[in-house]
Amino acid sequence: MTLLRESALVMGKDLRIELRSRVALQQILPFGGVVLVLFAFALDPDRGLLSRVAPGLFWAAVLLAALLAVTRSFAVEDANRARDGLRLSGIDPGAVFLGKAAAIAVELLVLEAALGAGVVVLYDVEPRGVLLLACAALAATAGLAATGTVYGVLSSGLRARDTLVPLLVLPAVTPVMLGATRAFEAALDGVPGDGWPWVQLLVVFSALAVAAGVAVFGPLLEES
Amino acid sequence: MRVVHLRSAVCLLGRFPALAGADLDVFAGEVVLVTGANGAGKTTLLRVCAGLAPLRSGTAEVLGHDLRADRRAVRRAVAFVGHETFCYDDLTVAENLRFAALAAGRPASAAGDALERVGLGRLAAVAHGRLSQGQRRRLSLAVALARDARLLLLDEPHAGLDDAGRRVVDGVLAGAPAEGRTVLVASHEAELVRRYATREVQVTGGRVVERPRAAAGVEVAR
Amino acid sequence: MTGKLLGVASGVSLAVLAVLALVVVPPDAVQGDAQRLMYVHVPTAWLAYLAFFVTAVASVLWLWPRTRAPHWDLLAGSSAEVGVVFTGLTLALGSLWGRPIWGTWWEWDARLTTTLVLFFLYVGYLALRRTGATADERGKRCAIAALIAFADVPVVHFSVTWWETLHQDATVFNPDLDVRMEGFWMPFTLVFSVLAFTLLYATLVRTRLRLAELDEGREERELQRAIEERRRAEVVPA
């Protein structure tokens, strides 16, 4: 029970900081939008290619924006040595992990909603299979946030941290990128039956990532 | 009861041995003044006692917990006031304090009490990023008080404070024994702390040297 | 002494392997001479996985309090370095082999894709190893990162295999590079190649580990000197 209470405390703190500073809203979200526009330049919109590969482009944009969200989440703890305060606070490191990951997940879900609308408008995609889309997005987001948070604390306090996080996170979340893209494709193609197994894969990945995070966050927070 | 027990403690900052074999014993209820030149290792000594800096070698026990085995248990029971506030720039003074109090398992009311005690009540709704240096100092003290720690580690608590602020620090130092807190104070302004100190040690070259009480006593009398 | 013996043994066995693979074994009935690449491709791939397995085991031994010792961390790093080199070689050799047989340098086949992701996972691990200032700071992060990477590999493999089976119709070739083993010399040379390369691996890791230990020893001596200097630096006033 304490774990949940403390997680909520940390999540509330991180979300409140984002609400106040607007970095997620004014920098990360527009960044995701720019990436969507860039893809349109790279793949000629007239040949119908964009709408066919929209799921992959959408998740690539989310992945890139997620890296920024992770970096931001740990930059907040660097100012005024707030990380030391967090370590001194006595909060269970597992709760710090769950709280920070949950805050990143909430930010990503908002981002996905906005980018999703952007994909519908810009890439000429008709949303179908909303239930599958939502479930896949939820499971994928949990996996992304958990993995990102683990690697965020793993590289916090190191020099070259900002360049290290993308290198560590991107290969590790290959299954998320694959699973979420296939599930979205299945939903948009109107064959949701093909998509649900991928959602299961995403759920398994996320569960593993969350469990790993709770287990290793203590020793890592100690170290940083 | 022994609150701090360090033997041959070596602590590295990167590759630099900030502590090079420090021995220190502090007993419950003491207020120990730590003096020493810049770079002597005062801050690192306090950070080791807080469980924030790891030991490379040697042994350390704080509040009965072995620092090498269980730094977390130590961290819960200490409060550290340093050069940085450990607060978030985008949150208000009240929000920062509330978070610190709740995180330490204290009621939210502890935050309000601490705020009044350091005289920051009227700034409760101001964002931390907008505070002056002196106000940040007071907020650090409030965070420490809200935690109700048994060991108080103060790193240059008087620095950057006006007279009113210094009186707040003095109040904390004077009240510590009655409140059951043990205090380690590192300070360049030794004469400000000596009045309250029960003992004085000097940090030199990463080691701790006891200063005879008589010397401190003479200066108090002066 | 053991080191020299290992070095000589791996050198000799690699030379024997060269003769076996290039001269003794007859060319493959279907693939011709290109198939001879198998005698380096298969052992390098085996070594890549062996190396990362050793890294994972060494990391566990470092994390386990009872077996914690600095050299496990060094072994994990040394083995990962060798592993990354061999993973890169596997990918390059596989690509060279695929070109004449499949007619393409790269195919998004499950095994290839997993190996490529594996390569990047451990490049990241090596980058992480180079950032910490001291061994103490580095050890725990790196051990945990190695275990996460190792645990991630099966999940990656599972998802790409699944992905590949779904677009099977798009594949233009038989994704199995399975060669029919014929006669005595083909299987013998393959087994021998794996043994020879394993010896090479042992030699390389041993040498790298020794280098890392010397490096650690030097750092330790420098640290002791720095501590002595610091203790002397200022004279304590009476």
Side-chain angles (χ1 to χ4, degrees):
Chain A
M1 235 35 246
T2 351
L3 188 76
L4 283 185
R5 193 183 58 78
E6 289 180 343
S7 311
L9 188 66
V10 174
M11 177 178 93
K13 185 252 320 170
D14 274 11
L15 287 178
R16 191 176 291 245
I17 289 175
E18 282 319 316
L19 275 179
R20 290 278 160 73
S21 70
R22 306 260 165 97
V23 168
L25 210 62
Q26 294 181 346
Q27 293 178 22
I28 301 180
L29 187 61
F31 169 78
V34 170
V35 172
L36 284 189
V37 175
L38 269 185
F39 284 148
F41 294 155
L43 307 167
D44 198 344
D46 288 340
R47 277 179 294 174
L49 199 57
L50 268 182
S51 57
R52 254 188 297 139
V53 294
L57 299 182
F58 170 78
W59 282 105
V62 170
L63 221 59
L64 293 177
L67 294 177
L68 293 189
V70 169
T71 317
R72 162 74 185 156
S73 174
F74 286 89
V76 160
E77 304 293 346
D78 276 353
N80 306 315
R81 277 189 187 255
R83 189 152 22 93
D84 280 349
L86 211 53
R87 292 155 80 203
L88 279 173
S89 69
I91 295 181
D92 189 310
V96 176
F97 165 75
L98 288 175
K100 287 198 91 64
I104 292 177
V106 170
E107 291 168 39
L108 288 182
L109 285 173
V110 173
L111 177 99
E112 284 161 23
L115 289 188
V119 166
V120 169
V121 174
L122 296 174
Y123 292 0
D124 187 23
V125 170
E126 196 174 321
R128 279 203 285 179
V130 178
L131 183 65
L132 175 58
L133 289 181
C135 290
L138 269 178
T141 306
L144 271 184
T147 317
T149 309
V150 169
Y151 282 115
V153 72
L154 199 70
S155 28
S156 69
L158 295 178
R159 61 189 159 86
R161 176 200 62 194
D162 297 349
T163 40
L164 197 57
V165 167
L167 176 60
L168 292 173
V169 172
L170 287 182
V173 295
T174 319
V176 176
M177 177 74 198
L178 263 178
T181 306
R182 296 313 135 208
F184 267 42
E185 273 176 3
L188 295 180
D189 290 348
V191 277
D194 290 355
W196 288 108
W198 287 108
V199 175
Q200 287 171 14
L201 174 84
L202 290 172
V203 169
V204 169
F205 181 91
S206 304
L208 286 178
V210 170
V214 172
V216 304
F217 219 70
L220 287 178
L221 197 64
E222 183 94 348
E223 213 65 7
S224 60
Chain B
M1 189 209 150
R2 214 160 42 181
V3 175
V4 175
H5 176 62
L6 297 185
R7 279 294 169 272
S8 314
V10 173
C11 176
L12 303 184
L13 291 181
R15 290 186 164 81
F16 174 70
L19 285 191
D23 301 315
L24 178 67
D25 282 296
V26 177
F27 295 90
E30 281 192 299
V31 177
V32 179
L33 166 63
V34 182
T35 60
N38 280 332
K42 299 191 296 293
T43 299
T44 307
L45 182 70
L46 295 192
R47 283 178 60 83
V48 164
C49 292
L52 285 175
L55 280 191
R56 162 78 198 215
S57 63
T59 57
E61 251 181 62
V62 175
L63 293 161
H65 301 287
D66 183 352
L67 268 185
R68 308 204 78 163
D70 196 3
R71 281 201 272 161
R72 250 191 83 208
V74 171
R75 289 181 192 152
R76 299 177 163 266
V78 303
F80 184 91
V81 177
H83 302 285
E84 309 272 5
T85 53
F86 305 154
C87 287
Y88 301 95
D89 281 341
D90 294 306
L91 298 184
T92 66
V93 167
E95 286 165 347
N96 269 305
L97 259 181
R98 203 183 116 86
F99 176 72
L102 290 178
R106 304 260 298 154
S109 61
D113 296 347
L115 200 59
E116 289 309 322
R117 196 167 160 191
V118 301
L120 277 184
R122 66 195 167 80
L123 295 179
V126 175
H128 176 270
R130 306 174 74 100
L131 295 183
S132 73
Q133 209 52 45
Q135 289 161 344
R136 288 182 183 213
R137 256 308 126 130
R138 290 185 191 220
L139 179 55
S140 303
L141 266 179
V143 169
L145 292 172
R147 291 168 54 81
D148 193 29
R150 283 153 66 205
L151 174 61
L152 207 50
L153 302 158
L154 307 178
D155 193 7
E156 303 290 349
H158 291 96
L161 282 179
D162 55 15
D163 283 343
R166 294 183 167 204
R167 278 196 292 279
V168 172
V169 176
D170 289 349
V172 171
L173 284 173
E179 288 167 5
R181 300 186 219 265
T182 309
V183 189
L184 260 171
V185 200
S187 186
H188 282 303
E189 297 165 285
E191 63 288 352
L192 290 178
V193 181
R194 257 181 208 130
R195 270 172 286 167
Y196 309 101
T198 55
R199 189 152 64 93
E200 187 172 336
V201 296
Q202 189 179 20
V203 180
T204 309
R207 280 182 305 156
V208 183
V209 185
E210 204 79 24
R211 289 261 299 213
R213 180 63 205 167
V218 170
E219 288 184 46
V220 169
R222 205 162 45 190
Chain C
M1 192 56 216
T2 333
K4 254 186 202 146
L5 221 68
L6 256 179
V8 170
S10 55
V12 169
S13 53
L14 282 178
V16 173
L17 174 64
V19 174
L20 280 175
L22 291 176
V23 182
V24 179
V25 177
D28 185 67
V30 185
Q31 301 189 6
D33 281 335
Q35 181 266 333
R36 295 184 196 274
L37 268 169
M38 180 177 78
Y39 306 116
V40 275
H41 179 68
V42 170
T44 51
W46 145 252
L47 278 202
Y49 282 88
L50 173 74
F52 296 141
F53 178 71
V54 170
T55 296
V57 171
S59 299
V60 169
L61 289 173
W62 193 91
L63 285 173
W64 191 253
R66 282 209 206 146
T67 48
R68 175 167 305 179
H71 64 258
W72 291 127
D73 173 52
L74 300 180
L75 174 63
S78 306
S79 189
E81 278 183 19
V82 177
V84 165
V85 170
F86 277 102
T87 314
L89 270 177
T90 306
L91 289 167
L93 291 168
S95 191
L96 282 178
W97 191 6
R99 179 69 191 167
I101 306 305
W102 303 336
T104 165
W105 293 111
W106 185 264
E107 189 58 43
W108 291 97
D109 151 78
R111 260 186 289 181
L112 269 68
T113 312
T114 305
T115 311
L116 188 61
V117 174
L118 185 78
F119 179 72
F120 284 121
L121 275 172
Y122 281 90
V123 166
Y125 169 76
L126 290 186
L128 180 68
R129 285 194 72 86
R130 296 189 64 86
T131 49
T134 59
D136 295 5
E137 289 172 11
R138 193 184 55 206
K140 200 175 281 176
R141 295 171 197 256
C142 291
I144 288 174
L147 288 183
I148 295 178
F150 194 70
D152 203 27
V153 173
V155 186
V156 170
H157 183 71
F158 179 74
S159 55
V160 292
T161 309
W162 208 4
W163 172 48
E164 192 220 3
T165 47
L166 286 185
H167 68 104
Q168 191 62 267
D169 48 321
T171 353
V172 288
F173 63 94
N174 171 14
D176 294 328
L177 261 186
D178 287 344
V179 175
R180 278 190 54 204
M181 289 292 168
E182 279 164 354
F184 168 77
W185 287 110
M186 274 177 81
F188 176 80
T189 308
L190 188 64
V191 170
F192 187 83
S193 72
V194 168
L195 287 177
F197 270 80
T198 307
L199 274 176
L200 175 66
Y201 165 80
T203 313
L204 289 176
V205 168
R206 205 192 125 87
T207 313
R208 184 63 189 88
L209 185 60
R210 201 148 152 62
L211 198 63
E213 278 170 352
L214 287 175
D215 224 22
E216 281 298 297
R218 182 181 52 80
E219 290 230 330
E220 185 61 36
R221 279 195 304 280
E222 267 171 20
L223 181 65
Q224 288 309 327
R225 208 172 49 225
I227 292 176
E228 289 307 315
E229 242 166 54
R230 181 144 168 81
R231 292 173 70 104
R232 265 202 316 269
E234 289 149 273
V235 180
V236 182

